[in-house]
């Protein structure tokens, strides 16, 4: 079992960058698949990126080339580097983890953080 805490959100101008962090508790972080999701105003929660337990990554089409997911198992932390931000990236960003799934459906993940707000002004 892990607990997740996101940080790094904030207000940024279009074209700017932010790096989100998700710190995990627990000694078994390295065997978890970790993902980022987001939920914009009035929208459903959607997949952003995933890094599996052996370091393989996957991205939603709308962020590919702009966002990079990474993990540091020594620090029990997963990151989302977001560049070239657009107003449509405004959302609450959630970190999620699961031992078995690296899917794109939110229902596939057992563990969630509380979310961090990202607001991109145009």
């Amino acid at each position: 079992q892990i607990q997740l805490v996101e940080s790094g959100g904030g207000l940024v101008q279009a074209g700017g960058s932010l790096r989100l962090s998700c710190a995990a508790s627990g000694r078994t972080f390295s065997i978890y698949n970790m993902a980022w999701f987001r939920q914009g105003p009035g929208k459903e929660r959607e997949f952003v990126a995933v890094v599996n337990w052996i370091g393989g990554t996957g991205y939603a089409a709308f962020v590919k080339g702009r966002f990079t997911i990474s993990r540091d198992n020594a620090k029990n932390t997963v990151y989302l580097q977001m560049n070239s931000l657009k107003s449509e990236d405004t959302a609450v960003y959630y970190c999620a983890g699961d031992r078995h799934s690296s899917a794109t459906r939110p229902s596939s993940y057992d563990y969630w953080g509380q979310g961090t707000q990202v607001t991109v002004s145009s």
Side-chain angles (χ1 to χ4, degrees):
Q1 186 173 1
I2 57 173
Q3 294 180 328
L4 305 173
V5 179
E6 302 96 333
S7 61
L11 175 64
V12 63
Q13 289 188 335
S17 299
L18 281 175
R19 188 176 81 155
L20 305 183
S21 299
C22 173
S25 64
R27 295 175 293 176
T28 58
F29 171 77
S30 63
I31 65 173
Y32 279 77
N33 302 306
M34 300 299 299
W36 288 95
F37 289 80
R38 70 185 188 184
Q39 189 164 13
K43 298 182 180 180
E44 294 186 352
R45 193 168 298 189
E46 63 180 355
F47 168 77
V48 176
V50 63
V51 56
N52 65 22
W53 68 282
I54 56 172
T57 59
Y59 296 91
F62 58 79
V63 302
K64 205 166 187 179
R66 300 189 298 127
F67 293 6
T68 303
I69 189 170
S70 61
R71 66 190 300 160
D72 185 337
N73 289 337
K75 295 182 178 180
N76 277 16
T77 302
V78 61
Y79 304 98
L80 185 68
Q81 176 67 45
M82 305 187 295
N83 300 327
S84 303
L85 283 161
K86 307 174 182 179
S87 58
E88 51 264 43
D89 294 319
T90 295
V92 178
Y93 283 71
Y94 296 91
C95 174
D98 195 87
R99 284 192 59 185
H100 304 291
S101 175
S102 59
T104 61
R105 299 181 305 275
S107 60
S108 297
Y109 292 81
D110 285 339
Y111 302 101
W112 291 85
Q114 82 289 348
T116 186
Q117 176 70 48
V118 171
T119 303
V120 184
S121 63
S122 56

